Amino acid sequence: MMILKDILYKVTINAVVGSTSISVNKIEFDSRQIKKNDVFVAISGTITDGHKFIEKAIADGAIAIVCETLPKSLEEGVTYIEVANSNQALAYMAANYYQHPSENLKLIGVTGTNGKTTVTSLLYQLFKKAGYKVGLLSTVKVMVDDKTFRATHTTPDSLTINKYLKMMNDEGVEFCFMEVSSHGIHQSRTEGLKFAGGIFTNLSHDHLDYHDSFAEYRDVKKAFFDGLPKDAFALSNMDDKNGLVMLQNTVAKKYTYALKNYSDYRAQILENEFGGLLLKVNDNELWTRLIGSFNAYNILAIYGAADLLGLESEEVLRLISELENVSGRFQYFISEEKITAIVDYAHTPDALKNVLETINNIRTKNEELITIVGCGGDRDKTKRPKMAHIASALSTKVIFTSDNPRSEVPETIIEDMEKGVEPQNFKKTLSITDRKQAIKTACQMAEAKDIILIAGKGHETYQEIKGERFDFDDYKIVREFLKQLQK
Ligand SMILES: CC(=O)N[C@H]1[C@@H](OP(=O)(O)OP(=O)(O)OC[C@H]2O[C@@H](n3ccc(=O)[nH]c3=O)[C@H](O)[C@@H]2O)O[C@H](CO)[C@@H](O)[C@@H]1O[C@H](C)C(=O)N[C@@H](C)C(=O)N[C@H](CCC(=O)O)C(=O)O
Ligand SMILES: Nc1ncnc2c1ncn2[C@@H]1O[C@H](COP(=O)(O)OP(=O)(O)OP(=O)(O)O)[C@@H](O)[C@H]1O
Ligand SMILES: N[C@H](CCC[C@H](N)C(=O)O)C(=O)O
Ligand SMILES: [Mg+2]
């Protein structure tokens, strides 16, 4: 239980009806979770409006309501708080309720179109190897030191974030690395958190189904850096054309990293092969198992963050060479017949281009590259033809298939993709709606030494169709087919 007034500390309030000295049990923003003596926060969302469920919440025992518009009829004995922004109010209420857990550890946020999971997961590994208790909030999973929890989002809602941070406080966690998605920033999920640092990876085409324009997408990401406190660091990628934009209004201490432009943390790629990357980082040689020039940026970002967080440079260089790859990110194996199968999470045009260019830099010309790719349903439609254009231009053969169709018709998604294929590449492409069938066909087509890239789902162990999740694991399926085909 907690006094409502204390939960509302720092919340911008327009009007109060009733007493804020009442004791409430817990905070909920979903009326279906309300129990007796809870406070319900009504949020107007993308599908429905929480305000429609105020009456239901009270009937189920809510004794306080936080909302942006007071209901026409007010119930006796219920306290109503009218606020300017329910999402923001929820974030401050969540921080108050869990006693500001972000202030009791060093919280580092990573934002950008691609690389967030890779950078946060590598930082988690690095700080664990350095002997610290560490937290992780990522697309793939949540870690409270050594305990694993299922991730429902890249950036969870503010109540969930603060719940995990409080658990980390109780476990004595000193550092927490979290992904900060543009949806998360736009919905104030990270409002009220005290960040010790922010890292910008890159900005390219994604989520234009949610943001009205690329400029709005950029400005939402920039808002994260604008909100960093002056004792935090802001580490930005100077090779990204929006790298400086992210830093221009932050009061945090500014640092930069790059391979091409002058920066505080610089790297050069000395070797780039399937075995890993040999880098020169600020005049030190560094080996990493990770593959691909895009991973040079991720490695440099974690090197800079570790330095800014006080880890000793020599130790960081040694530990980075021990880091394991992140699940579903350029995860590969080579079959007995020397066919290389790569599973990667690339689901944006820039990511797909990076992965395909990496493979093309490594493979010899007589090794065919067969790419299997689809696009998520209920996501950015404008990236579909771009992904298909990139896949068909940079592969020897391409099979368009389903990713997570969600509520859309899979064939329509594939048609959207096919529109991006240039005529000279038509002969390279094939469309097979069933993803399993597409993977099997690629395995049948592949000859010894060929490479199969399965892109878009990475670590995901499900396929989302019409609101249901069916078991589906790219990596397991391709291994199985290559074994069956004795290839
Ligand atoms: C589009 C989007 O981001 N939606 C998120 C948002 O939901 P919403 O506010 O739009 O919810 P809504 O369904 O319209 O409902 C409005 C309100 O009414 C309430 N409600 C609803 C029904 C009811 O009976 N009673 C009730 O009180 C809901 O609890 C909600 O507060 O807030 C919810 C609670 O935090 C999130 O679960 C939900 O994520 C949905 C499921 C989602 O798919 N989000 C994806 C797009 C997402 O967030 N992705 C990003 C980036 C991914 C990446 O690039 O890696 C992420 O950070 O994961
Ligand atoms: N620094 C980078 N620059 C460009 N592409 C990258 C970079 N790092 C990873 N990628 C590519 O993007 C894919 C997704 O990487 P990752 O999961 O780290 O990104 P993310 O930002 O967490 O994505 P999401 O927004 O979906 O959570 C990888 O599988 C790889 O293909
Ligand atoms: N295979 C996934 C990748 C994107 C998942 C996440 N970034 C999101 O937007 O929810 C899809 O496109 O369905
Ligand atoms: Mg991620």
Side-chain angles (χ1 to χ4, degrees):
M1 299 294 270
M2 199 167 166
I3 305 294
L4 180 58
K5 185 164 57 251
D6 298 337
I7 293 180
L8 292 168
Y9 175 63
K10 272 198 176 171
V11 172
T12 308
I13 293 172
N14 293 344
V16 177
V17 176
S19 163
T20 58
S21 306
I22 57 169
S23 269
V24 295
N25 185 25
K26 60 183 168 60
I27 306 167
E28 293 294 352
F29 57 83
D30 187 337
S31 62
R32 292 161 292 196
Q33 308 301 324
I34 287 285
K35 296 280 184 290
K36 195 164 167 32
N37 298 330
D38 284 354
V39 44
F40 173 60
V41 182
I43 297 171
S44 164
T46 51
I47 298 169
T48 182
D49 183 350
H51 290 74
K52 285 191 222 153
F53 307 99
I54 289 176
E55 229 173 282
K56 167 92 173 54
I58 294 168
D60 288 347
I63 53 167
I65 302 293
V66 174
C67 53
E68 291 176 356
T69 315
L70 288 175
K72 288 189 180 44
S73 64
L74 303 180
E75 295 278 325
E76 269 303 305
V78 173
T79 297
Y80 295 86
I81 311 287
E82 187 189 283
V83 294
N85 177 319
S86 289
N87 267 320
Q88 254 173 30
L90 176 66
Y92 284 106
M93 290 167 71
N96 294 329
Y97 185 80
Y98 285 102
Q99 292 107 48
H100 296 275
S102 64
E103 295 176 3
N104 307 321
L105 43 70
K106 288 196 182 313
L107 179 63
I108 311 304
V110 182
T111 195
T113 305
N114 288 307
K116 301 187 298 295
T117 296
T118 305
V119 169
T120 49
S121 308
L122 293 177
L123 281 166
Y124 171 83
Q125 275 187 65
L126 177 63
F127 278 70
K128 278 295 283 175
K129 285 178 180 295
Y132 294 98
K133 291 191 171 203
V134 195
L136 172 69
L137 292 171
S138 87
T139 312
V140 174
K141 59 187 175 180
V142 172
M143 296 299 291
V144 175
D145 199 32
D146 296 324
K147 288 196 195 91
T148 307
F149 298 86
R150 191 172 79 84
T152 60
H153 288 76
T154 288
T155 303
D157 62 82
S158 52
L159 260 186
T160 303
I161 293 173
N162 281 279
K163 179 188 74 174
Y164 281 125
L165 292 176
K166 178 74 173 71
M167 285 164 72
M168 290 175 199
N169 285 182
D170 298 344
E171 293 290 321
V173 163
E174 298 155 88
F175 297 92
C176 175
F177 302 102
M178 75 173 284
E179 296 188 48
V180 179
S181 67
S182 58
H183 290 74
I185 302 164
H186 188 257
Q187 292 167 27
S188 305
R189 299 177 197 169
T190 55
E191 197 91 28
L193 295 176
K194 180 170 173 22
F195 283 94
I199 300 170
F200 172 64
T201 58
N202 49 64
L203 197 72
S204 63
H205 183 153
D206 200 6
H207 300 313
L208 296 187
D209 57 314
Y210 181 79
H211 299 290
D212 296 336
S213 66
F214 186 80
E216 196 241 294
Y217 177 44
R218 176 202 61 211
D219 295 346
V220 166
K221 293 273 186 198
K222 178 177 176 292
F224 170 63
F225 294 96
D226 296 351
L228 290 177
K230 61 182 187 319
D231 57 350
F233 69 78
L235 177 60
S236 185
N237 172 3
M238 282 303 106
D239 288 348
D240 186 281
K241 59 181 183 307
N242 288 293
L244 267 181
V245 170
M246 295 299 150
L247 297 181
Q248 77 189 42
N249 300 110
T250 187
V251 296
K253 295 189 282 294
K254 304 175 187 181
Y255 297 92
T256 58
Y257 67 100
L259 272 67
K260 297 179 192 132
N261 292 294
Y262 180 76
S263 55
D264 298 304
Y265 299 100
R266 297 176 310 288
Q268 248 184 302
I269 298 176
L270 303 176
E271 279 172 45
N272 177 0
E273 55 199 49
F274 259 120
L277 282 168
L278 182 63
L279 303 175
K280 197 167 180 187
V281 176
N282 283 20
D283 306 328
N284 303 298
E285 285 213 359
L286 159 66
W287 172 259
T288 168
R289 292 192 179 97
L290 274 76
I291 303 160
S293 44
F294 58 88
N295 272 318
Y297 285 96
N298 295 332
I299 292 293
L300 190 53
I302 69 165
Y303 175 84
D307 182 48
L308 293 168
L309 289 167
L311 263 60
E312 200 276 317
S313 172
E314 281 302 305
E315 188 192 16
V316 171
L317 292 167
R318 181 176 59 79
L319 292 176
I320 286 179
S321 63
E322 294 172 17
L323 298 181
E324 302 289 327
N325 211 358
V326 181
S327 159
R329 274 79 181 154
F330 218 98
Q331 194 172 358
Y332 76 92
F333 74 93
I334 302 172
S335 74
E336 279 169 28
E337 279 66 36
K338 301 283 173 272
I339 291 170
T340 303
I342 303 165
V343 170
D344 189 78
Y345 194 48
H347 55 273
T348 69
D350 185 55
L352 191 57
K353 177 167 162 290
N354 275 291
V355 176
L356 286 168
E357 282 174 348
T358 292
I359 297 169
N360 284 322
N361 288 339
I362 294 171
R363 78 185 168 102
T364 62
K365 63 183 183 325
N366 54 9
E367 289 153 354
E368 305 241 313
L369 171 52
I370 305 164
T371 296
I372 300 161
V373 63
C375 288
D378 303 342
R379 292 291 184 274
D380 184 341
K381 291 184 170 61
T382 59
K383 70 181 178 183
R384 293 171 182 172
K386 293 186 179 179
M387 299 234 342
H389 169 74
I390 289 164
S392 54
L394 297 177
S395 311
T396 354
K397 289 194 185 75
V398 186
I399 304 179
F400 298 126
T401 187
S402 300
D403 185 295
N404 294 310
R406 297 190 181 91
S407 70
E408 291 192 56
V409 174
E411 288 76 11
T412 314
I413 299 174
I414 292 172
E415 280 159 24
D416 287 347
M417 295 184 76
E418 289 168 339
K419 288 173 190 149
V421 180
E422 298 198 321
Q424 70 267 24
N425 293 325
F426 284 158
K427 61 188 180 313
K428 288 186 188 179
T429 66
L430 194 57
S431 295
I432 301 174
T433 307
D434 181 282
R435 191 175 182 93
K436 200 170 207 173
Q437 195 49 48
I439 295 172
K440 184 175 184 179
T441 307
C443 292
Q444 289 163 334
M445 287 156 81
E447 297 301 326
K449 294 198 161 184
D450 286 350
I451 298 167
I452 300 173
L453 168 67
I454 308 171
K457 292 177 70 38
H459 65 284
E460 295 174 359
T461 52
Y462 60 85
Q463 189 171 33
E464 210 168 314
I465 304 171
K466 292 191 177 46
E468 269 196 85
R469 285 190 168 189
F470 301 91
D471 288 346
F472 197 103
D473 183 328
D474 284 349
Y475 194 71
K476 281 191 186 145
I477 290 168
V478 69
R479 286 193 80 131
E480 197 42 49
F481 279 137
L482 286 175
K483 208 162 67 178
Q484 275 171 18
L485 294 165
Q486 278 308 317
K487 280 193 169 184

